[in-house]
Amino acid sequence: MIDKVIRKTNSIVSIWKIKIRCLICLSNKNYCGTNRIKRNDSIVVSLTSFPGRIGVVSETIKSLMIQTMKPDRIILWLAKEQFPNREKNLPEELLELKKHGLEILWCND
């Protein structure tokens, strides 16, 4: 039982560390976002989401943006059929990440 409590506590602490780091990073555009340094090989992170998770996918993207080794591109693919009003269906917190290099692309489901 105590092991479960410790794991849960460690998980909560880790989540809050990421949230605090994201807040600090997002206030400093030079630190947070995608890679701005020229390199030979590109790192592209491509992910998908759906309406049931669209409210929390920004946390995943923020954690990618604060890594030491930043990706050159972060692409979020969303199905046109699931978001008929496109960006009007998306949370503002997610749309704000476009300022830091997030690309939102639309595809068929």
Side-chain angles (χ1 to χ4, degrees), residues 8-64:
K8 184 71 170 177
T9 303
N10 287 340
S11 177
I12 292 169
V13 168
S14 294
I15 290 168
W16 277 105
K17 282 181 181 178
I18 290 170
K19 285 182 180 283
I20 290 167
R21 201 166 164 209
C22 286
L23 286 172
I24 292 167
C25 293
L26 290 174
S27 65
N28 181 355
K29 286 188 178 184
N30 293 325
Y31 181 77
C32 182
T34 53
N35 178 47
R36 292 180 178 88
I37 300 168
K38 179 94 170 112
R39 57 181 163 209
N40 293 334
D41 298 321
S42 291
I43 298 172
V44 178
V45 176
S46 180
L47 63 152
T48 64
S49 192
F50 65 101
R53 294 250 169 98
I54 200 66
V56 295
V57 73
S58 60
E59 296 301 318
T60 301
I61 294 167
K62 287 177 193 174
S63 71
L64 293 167

Side-chain angles (χ1 to χ4, degrees), residues 45-90:
V45 176
S46 180
L47 63 152
T48 64
S49 192
F50 65 101
R53 294 250 169 98
I54 200 66
V56 295
V57 73
S58 60
E59 296 301 318
T60 301
I61 294 167
K62 287 177 193 174
S63 71
L64 293 167
M65 290 181 164
I66 62 172
Q67 298 299 310
T68 310
M69 177 68 80
K70 298 185 183 315
D72 296 289
R73 295 176 70 192
I74 301 174
I75 305 168
L76 175 63
W77 291 93
L78 300 173
K80 295 181 248 184
E81 296 85 357
Q82 293 179 0
F83 299 93
N85 296 318
R86 301 294 196 302
E87 290 192 3
K88 291 177 185 171
N89 290 130
L90 304 180

Side-chain angles (χ1 to χ4, degrees), residues 87 90-97 99:
E87 290 192 3
L90 304 180
E92 188 60 37
E93 184 178 14
L94 180 62
L95 295 173
E96 282 291 312
L97 296 177
K99 295 176 186 174

